[in-house]
Amino acid sequence: MKKWVRSGLVWGGILYVITMILFPLIDHEKFDTTKILLGIPLWIVTGLTIGYLFDKKKKTTNARKKG
């Protein structure tokens, strides 16, 4: 597995837990099964996007330092 994919999935998982579980617990909201299930693909895509963009930025930064 590529490093940016693993990093993105970790980011997605962390953000999913925070937004779908912790915030509703703090606000004393009921858990909605549909919302929880729809959040999974949303946060996977978001996490992979974050992982890819961080990897791209790191490569750009390293290229500038070498050149």
Side-chain angles (χ1 to χ4, degrees):
M1 182 182 298
K2 293 185 179 185
K3 190 174 180 178
W4 70 267
V5 173
R6 184 177 54 223
S7 173
L9 291 175
V10 169
W11 271 107
I14 291 169
L15 293 171
Y16 175 80
V17 168
I18 290 171
T19 58
M20 297 295 174
I21 297 173
L22 290 181
F23 285 162
L25 279 175
I26 292 170
D27 292 338
H28 303 292
E29 294 178 13
K30 284 190 170 186
F31 287 105
D32 183 17
T33 309
T34 307
K35 182 179 174 182
I36 289 175
L37 291 176
L38 288 176
I40 293 171
L42 170 75
W43 286 109
I44 287 174
V45 171
T46 303
L48 289 173
T49 303
I50 290 170
Y52 176 76
L53 291 174
F54 281 174
D55 185 61
K56 186 176 175 183
K57 182 174 174 22
K58 184 172 65 171
K59 286 180 182 177
T60 304
T61 305
N62 288 341
R64 287 182 184 167
K65 285 181 182 178
K66 290 180 182 178

